[in-house]
Amino acid sequence: MTVTEMPAGGVTISAAAELSGLSVDTLRYYEKEGLTLHRPERSSSGQRRYTEDNVRWLGTLVMLRKTGMPIRDIKRFVDLYRIEGSEPQRLAILQAHRVHVLEDLNEVQTHLDAINRKIDYYEEKVLNA
Amino acid sequence: MTVTEMPAGGVTISAAAELSGLSVDTLRYYEKEGLTLHRPERSSSGQRRYTEDNVRWLGTLVMLRKTGMPIRDIKRFVDLYRIEGSEPQRLAILQAHRVHVLEDLNEVQTHLDAINRKIDYYEEKVLNA
DNA sequence: GCTTGACCTGGAGTGCGCTCCAGGGGTCAT
DNA sequence: ATGACCCCTGGAGCGCACTCCAGGTCAAGC
């Protein structure tokens, strides 16, 4: 299943987990922590039903987490969505995060260069052995 | 102080911390975990004295940690240095790690693109408000 | 109507990588 | 010789982000 071919009534938590790449437990954990933009509706028997929007937001959460934003900061970001006209603040958070990510990428890239040099050194050493 | 202008007798743990960018506690922790190639010598009163080589190795540890290698894996890598002729294995670990780092960089880059798109969206929205 | 399996909740447990602390030196300037 | 510092050890504690568990509900298939 892809996110665009989701049934109208929404999907179960396990399907949402697969679609988002998160675990079922993590989905419930994120919801408990208030990271969901809107909590998924419940079926008549109380089970969560994730809509396309719900799943899309999970994608945003993954994006922020994988780029190293802590849960606490994501919480602040989500909370702004509940405040009318907070777009400038949301933008500011994203821009600041972008800077962090770029710095991080840069640092990792520098260390990667060092790894490559070490590999070169060993490749020569091993080849001439 | 830079690593090339270190006194011959070695430097204290706090100096080594500054030079490496790690904390004093982390230095002792790494040593406890067996991540040091050679344990630093001790002064007559039992204090650690880090040589240039010691500090250079700390740089390697930082390189591996900052690129996401777990302590456990670094331990395995260091242990190979105690085995004669283990250069091929050390090389293999570095090559495998390199692949991981590249995959990671790639993933982060992809998420960064998504962040940029979100920023673009908000910039337009905020500008036209 | 019984089993199976996915789901529910609240809360405890885990792994990682540090970080901090108590209690105790040694060294050096005043 | 007193105080200020830095250092030592073993071990406890912490923050983060999950992950797991017990005990229970519900729907569907046989």
Side-chain angles (χ1 to χ4, degrees):
Chain A
M1 201 199 301
T2 72
V3 72
T4 49
E5 57 197 34
M6 285 173 55
V11 300
T12 63
I13 193 169
S14 60
E18 259 194 50
L19 285 166
S20 63
L22 297 167
S23 77
V24 168
D25 277 317
T26 301
L27 255 46
R28 287 196 276 245
Y29 166 66
Y30 282 180
E31 189 179 330
K32 219 187 279 187
E33 293 297 311
L35 303 192
T36 53
L37 200 46
H38 306 293
R39 313 193 116 196
E41 302 286 315
R42 299 301 180 108
S43 72
S44 60
S45 64
Q47 295 189 0
R48 290 171 182 79
R49 284 298 120 92
Y50 289 79
T51 65
E52 194 176 322
D53 276 0
N54 289 150
V55 174
R56 279 194 204 289
W57 181 253
L58 293 178
T60 302
L61 294 181
V62 168
M63 167 190 95
L64 294 176
R65 284 293 302 125
K66 290 272 188 179
T67 50
M69 188 183 282
I71 299 286
R72 181 177 358 96
D73 293 7
I74 297 180
K75 180 68 166 67
R76 288 198 201 102
F77 182 64
V78 180
D79 286 344
L80 285 175
Y81 277 83
R82 274 141 212 153
I83 299 173
E84 190 101 13
S86 66
E87 284 79 1
Q89 287 99 304
R90 296 182 223 164
L91 174 58
I93 286 181
L94 290 175
Q95 285 170 332
H97 183 53
R98 185 174 170 280
V99 171
H100 276 296
V101 175
L102 286 173
E103 283 170 357
D104 224 74
L105 278 175
N106 231 285
E107 197 185 357
V108 172
Q109 186 60 58
T110 301
H111 289 305
L112 177 60
D113 292 345
I115 291 171
N116 282 331
R117 281 196 298 279
K118 219 173 175 65
I119 286 177
D120 289 347
Y121 164 79
Y122 271 115
E123 273 178 345
E124 195 181 336
K125 203 168 172 179
V126 167
L127 209 69
N128 299 334
Chain B
M1 199 198 304
T2 72
V3 72
T4 49
E5 58 196 34
M6 286 173 54
V11 299
T12 63
I13 195 168
S14 60
E18 260 195 50
L19 285 166
S20 64
L22 297 167
S23 76
V24 168
D25 277 316
T26 301
L27 256 47
R28 287 196 277 246
Y29 166 67
Y30 282 1
E31 190 180 328
K32 218 187 279 189
E33 293 296 311
L35 303 191
T36 53
L37 200 45
H38 306 293
R39 313 193 116 196
E41 302 286 316
R42 297 302 178 107
S43 73
S44 59
S45 63
Q47 295 189 0
R48 291 171 182 78
R49 284 298 120 92
Y50 289 79
T51 65
E52 194 176 320
D53 276 1
N54 290 151
V55 174
R56 278 192 205 291
W57 181 253
L58 293 179
T60 302
L61 294 181
V62 168
M63 167 190 95
L64 295 175
R65 283 295 300 126
K66 289 275 188 176
T67 50
M69 187 183 284
I71 298 288
R72 181 177 358 94
D73 294 7
I74 298 180
K75 180 70 166 67
R76 288 197 202 103
F77 182 64
V78 181
D79 286 345
L80 285 175
Y81 277 82
R82 273 141 211 154
I83 298 173
E84 191 99 13
S86 66
E87 282 79 2
Q89 287 100 305
R90 294 181 224 166
L91 174 57
I93 286 180
L94 290 175
Q95 284 170 333
H97 183 53
R98 185 174 171 280
V99 171
H100 276 297
V101 175
L102 286 172
E103 283 170 358
D104 224 73
L105 278 175
N106 232 285
E107 198 186 357
V108 171
Q109 186 60 59
T110 300
H111 289 306
L112 178 60
D113 292 345
I115 291 172
N116 283 330
R117 281 196 298 280
K118 220 172 174 65
I119 286 177
D120 288 348
Y121 164 78
Y122 271 115
E123 274 177 345
E124 194 180 338
K125 202 167 172 181
V126 168
L127 208 68
N128 299 335

